[in-house]
Amino acid sequence: VNFGDKLAEAVGRRGTAACVGIDPQLDKIPGLDLRAGLEERAERVRRFSLEVVEAVAGIVAVIKPQSAFFEQLGAPGLAALAEVVGAARQAGLIVLLDGKRGDIGSTAEAYAAAQLDEGGPIGADAVTVSPYLGPESLAPYERRLQQGKGIFVLVRTSNPGAAPWQLETGVAERVADWVASRCPGPGWGPVGAVVGATLPAEEVARWRAAMPRSWLLVPGFGAQGAGPDDIRAHFGPDGLGALVSSSREVLYAPGAQPDRDVRQAIRARATTFAAAVRPDAYRAR
Amino acid sequence: VNFGDKLAEAVGRRGTAACVGIDPQLDKIPGLDLRAGLEERAERVRRFSLEVVEAVAGIVAVIKPQSAFFEQLGAPGLAALAEVVGAARQAGLIVLLDGKRGDIGSTAEAYAAAQLDEGGPIGADAVTVSPYLGPESLAPYERRLQQGKGIFVLVRTSNPGAAPWQLETGVAERVADWVASRCPGPGWGPVGAVVGATLPAEEVARWRAAMPRSWLLVPGFGAQGAGPDDIRAHFGPDGLGALVSSSREVLYAPGAQPDRDVRQAIRARATTFAAAVRPDAYRAR
């Protein structure tokens, strides 16, 4: 099964383009003692992340765990990540692991195996990848597309410093051409692109047109500043093709006390987020 | 202590610009059963990597473990990596962790903490980083330079597909300018650059001139095709400024049977490698 079609089916079924990012920032997790050892902090992160999975399953189609926040807890953190990924897939969620790896040769192959392979240590459905090292760096991921896996290649992010290096040089355009070449249509292809939420609409429209059959992963919704109108140009005419990610605004209530019922609070916030990015609302009329 | 100066001192003292890459490729490690579970394979990788550390300490100044090969073994692999890094530093080696991470904001901060911080899960001396997301992605690493940590930013690699995306777009040049700006001299600065071994000498000379006080990390010596003459332009006039990395040719004897005495064989090959890249031989006369 092609990952792009699988994603289209799942987003259509759930009726939302929302993807919940699992970014367990240690200083924001209720009840986490920052002075505790790695094992203890990892255990708290594991429990919190599993609460998130249970809370959002049935509301969104996709979760996006951020590898860095688990890696900072060393081996117990990585064990927690593996468990969270397994639990999420068990719950019917598509798991997009955000790791932005990029290397070549046997090293790139090891990263792809580590993150995507069934029977491997993590076994995610899809990953984010960084293209700096050139098309060869994407080859081991390409080989896994036939197994139903997906990738989202960094193309254009919306942090201020990204423009001089990604946009002005034209490297983003070359990477976008590569992404598009892997998604000839007619359905949605398995190679997507990261395109920031807070870019000018005209620029987003150019990326949308350059990669017409690729999913765009849109980080930066909610807490990071983009609202429902900012991401209109990321969607295709069928109301699909954009996967909108939010983490902090769903996981942590701004300024709130530690939740007495974390799962219920996250579910409420995820429901609000999911309703804000319904494919219906983005379909061309 | 500035990492660039620390590296110059260590390379000068050992009399070699050689850096041994620890890339534990599972199918090349003597006695590793590829069908064994993660724990057992990680244990074999741990023991092999510790043999490498013991073998090369006193011969080279720097080792470069490749994170991917440990990550593919999940949590036990990451525990092995942490132990190898600790043992290497204990043995007086400088540890450059090759992970090529690149992200922004709190995620980039988590990666930097995970890989570099003392008291963190790994605690390397330096790391490789990927610049695709722009200068902001390097900020958390910059903050750690004052603690004596170092970074090597991907600038220009020598795989065939790298030219269209890195060189022709000019992004490599912009990244190089950033690297150089962090190393004003007069000594060697803490921000280095990855510049491939098998590039044309005239191109390497341009990178050398663009980043005159930055260390160049030169992967691809030996098994990957570059000989002592190919890397002449990477060095500064004082015979320093280039850190030359080789992994496969040191760790695995080409075509050999599993070594009866792995450590002794690695020591012999590391000695040959170290002698091939003596600063003396690259000093301007």
Side-chain angles (χ1 to χ4, degrees), chain A residues 22-37:
Chain A
I22 303 192
D23 296 13
Q25 291 181 255
L26 302 184
D27 57 351
K28 292 189 173 162
I29 294 180
L32 187 143
D33 179 358
L34 288 169
R35 295 154 310 175

Side-chain angles (χ1 to χ4, degrees), chain A residues 132-217:
Chain A
Y132 193 85
L133 290 184
E136 293 103 322
S137 65
L138 307 172
Y141 298 96
E142 268 195 282
R143 286 194 287 274
R144 286 164 170 87
L145 302 180
Q146 297 143 8
Q147 294 145 38
K149 304 293 182 174
I151 61 174
F152 289 86
V153 187
L154 287 174
V155 169
R156 175 69 168 104
T157 57
S158 44
N159 53 304
W165 291 7
Q166 292 167 9
L167 189 68
E168 294 169 20
T169 61
V171 68
E173 210 171 322
R174 294 187 184 216
V175 177
D177 287 346
W178 185 93
V179 168
S181 74
R182 266 57 188 175
C183 301
W188 289 103
V191 176
V194 177
V195 174
T198 55
L199 300 169
E202 319 81 70
E203 192 196 329
V204 174
R206 285 206 310 275
W207 298 122
R208 180 69 283 169
M211 299 174 281
R213 302 317 292 162
S214 295
W215 282 88
L216 306 185
L217 173 63

